[in-house]
Amino acid sequence: HVQLVESGGGSAQAGGSMRLSCDLSGDTGMTNLMAWFRQAPGKEREGVASFYSGRSLTFYADSVKGRFTISREKTKNTVYLYMNSLRPQDSGMYYCAAGRTLFPTKFGALDAESYTSWGQGTQVTVSS
């Protein structure tokens, strides 16, 4: 089992930047797929960015492509989400997730069904 703890959320102005961190612990050896999801009030959870360590592939939702960057620092077992040019619609609870796949695709990597371990979330609020 993998434990995930997110940090780094908070408030920002539109156009600003923020970095989220996710610390992984436990049985991380079987994990090769990590992602950030977000959920705004009254909306479904959506995949934002994913990292497949098998070939260092990254996948992004169209709404964040070019603004957000996901990366993993393996020595620290930490996954980051760098968010730039923030918009009010980026607000929501951000969750870190971990899973394993043999065949990474954008659809699968941004689908919550692909993940077996989840963090508790960190709130991001962007004001206009």
Side-chain angles (χ1 to χ4, degrees):
H1 185 64
V2 178
Q3 292 82 43
L4 304 102
V5 178
E6 303 97 334
S7 61
S11 299
Q13 294 283 331
S17 299
M18 192 178 290
R19 186 188 77 169
L20 304 183
S21 301
C22 174
D23 293 317
L24 289 82
S25 61
D27 189 15
T28 60
M30 298 296 291
T31 296
N32 63 7
L33 193 64
M34 290 141 286
W36 287 94
F37 286 76
R38 68 185 179 192
Q39 187 167 20
K43 294 190 177 182
E44 291 186 358
R45 188 174 296 190
E46 63 168 337
V48 172
S50 178
F51 176 83
Y52 173 68
S53 62
R55 281 182 279 155
S56 295
L57 296 175
T58 55
F59 304 94
Y60 297 95
D62 291 344
S63 58
V64 306
K65 198 168 186 177
R67 301 188 298 122
F68 289 13
T69 302
I70 186 171
S71 67
R72 180 181 184 181
E73 187 165 346
K74 199 170 183 180
T75 56
K76 291 185 178 181
N77 240 353
T78 301
V79 178
Y80 299 102
L81 184 67
Y82 295 88
M83 305 186 291
N84 296 314
S85 302
L86 284 165
R87 304 168 181 169
Q89 51 266 45
D90 293 322
S91 298
M93 188 69 78
Y94 281 69
Y95 298 91
C96 182
R100 181 170 179 81
T101 185
L102 295 177
F103 306 106
T105 64
K106 179 179 178 179
F107 178 82
L110 298 180
D111 184 353
E113 293 293 323
S114 298
Y115 298 87
T116 54
S117 299
W118 294 84
Q120 293 298 307
T122 185
Q123 180 68 38
V124 172
T125 303
V126 183
S127 56
S128 57

